[in-house]
Amino acid sequence: IVGGSFTPIESHPWVAAIFHKRYGFLCGGSLISPCWVLTAAHCFTDGENTKIPHLSVYLGKSAINDTDVDKEQQFFVEKLIIHQKYNDSNYDSDIALVKIKSRNATTHGGCAVRSPTVRTVCLPPLHTQLPAGFSCSIAGFGKEKFESPRFSQYLKQADVKLLSRAECTSGLQYGSRITDNMFCAGSPSWSTDACKGDSGGPLVCEASGRMFLFGVVSWGEGCGWMNKPGVYTQVTNYNKWIAAKTGLTKYTRG
Ligand code: 4AZ
């Protein structure tokens, strides 16, 4: 995250951190039900990354390199579902589901247990549309600057505003690279943005007193660059896909 501030996991308790045995921290994600994490498809397209036995998912984590056993929950991956229409050349349908399972074979049922550091985020009701200029927040362990060689050690969050489709598809910004399954968000001064490593993580917006997961961090040119906002997968386009793949019948959960 460029700009913004460090934040305890308690303020974004649905944030998941996905690690690879060999490559270390891979991507963010969001806990949408006790056994399911929503993330980005492009996190798993390096071929090697897709090997499920090499992946671990952490919930309740505030720092990439420190372990707080009282706050964290660790999982293996039971299933990885990459959207069947994911397009690796333009990042269309950049969305994936990770089913988590307990690392401890004797803990049956073993998915996420609700706590002050671990909680599910609501999925927005079908067809919800927020107006351009609406303020939302992003969170993740991604780089603090495009040029930085490493990810942020601690979880960060930042406020970003939704941009109109007209603005983001203008020639000045991304033109036709923005599909109907993407939207853009940034700050008016271009001082806050997602960056490498925030991919897969949440863009949440508050509506009627609850936080809803509207976007999955997907891509962008640089980080915090003028007229190059962050691009997010539009979660409301995938309510049915999520329901079909996870068997979750309710679109909104707390
Ligand atoms: C990335 O490389 C990435 N500024 C994610 C988000 C943004 C840029 C790059 C948005 O994963």
Side-chain angles (χ1 to χ4, degrees):
I1 302 275
V2 176
S5 53
F6 293 105
T7 184
I9 188 72
E10 285 86 346
S11 301
H12 296 263
W14 40 81
V15 167
I18 305 174
F19 285 77
H20 186 278
K21 246 186 221 169
R22 280 204 285 281
Y23 312 139
F25 178 74
L26 206 61
C27 267
S30 302
L31 187 72
I32 57 165
S33 78
C35 297
W36 290 96
V37 169
L38 191 68
T39 182
H42 85 256
C43 297
F44 308 102
T45 48
D46 267 2
E48 187 65 27
N49 295 343
T50 57
K51 291 194 176 146
I52 286 177
H54 295 176
L55 300 175
S56 292
V57 176
Y58 291 75
L59 298 171
K61 206 166 176 54
S62 290
I64 279 194
N65 293 309
D66 306 335
T67 303
D68 187 335
V69 289
D70 297 333
K71 294 185 170 190
E72 283 180 28
Q73 297 179 32
Q74 307 182 7
F75 301 91
F76 289 137
V77 170
E78 181 172 326
K79 204 187 275 184
L80 172 63
I81 305 173
I82 293 170
H83 197 282
Q84 60 276 16
K85 288 190 178 153
Y86 168 62
N87 184 333
D88 207 17
S89 48
N90 69 353
Y91 282 10
D92 191 42
S93 294
D94 190 10
I95 195 164
L97 281 160
V98 174
K99 189 174 193 191
I100 57 176
K101 65 174 179 192
S102 172
R103 290 168 71 106
N104 182 343
T106 61
T107 322
H108 43 234
C111 287
V113 176
R114 191 176 166 146
S115 78
T117 57
V118 175
R119 219 191 94 171
T120 56
V121 66
C122 303
L123 290 176
L126 263 173
H127 309 307
T128 327
Q129 277 267 55
L130 295 174
F134 200 91
S135 198
C136 297
S137 75
I138 54 175
F141 294 99
K143 292 180 174 188
E144 292 191 74
K145 288 187 173 135
F146 179 71
E147 303 80 14
S148 170
R150 58 185 125 259
F151 297 133
S152 173
Q153 161 86 293
Y154 298 102
L155 184 65
K156 286 185 80 181
Q157 70 94 39
D159 292 340
V160 287
K161 285 184 157 58
L162 305 184
L163 300 186
S164 70
R165 197 157 287 279
E167 187 174 345
C168 202
T169 58
S170 71
L172 188 61
Q173 294 190 2
Y174 292 123
S176 58
R177 292 162 71 186
I178 303 301
T179 70
D180 288 348
N181 298 313
M182 303 172 187
F183 69 87
C184 303
S187 63
S189 57
W190 308 105
S191 57
T192 62
D193 195 6
C195 200
K196 191 172 171 60
D198 292 318
S199 290
L203 177 143
V204 293
C205 314
E206 190 181 329
S208 31
R210 313 181 76 173
M211 295 299 246
F212 291 96
L213 181 67
F214 274 87
V216 173
V217 176
S218 179
W219 63 278
E221 237 182 271
C223 306
W225 289 5
M226 198 193 316
N227 290 311
K228 299 297 171 189
V231 185
Y232 299 82
T233 309
Q234 183 147 336
V235 172
T236 52
N237 286 10
Y238 297 95
N239 284 22
K240 285 177 189 163
W241 179 77
I242 294 167
K245 297 297 178 188
T246 62
L248 301 179
T249 50
K250 279 175 142 185
Y251 288 124
T252 55
R253 301 180 45 101

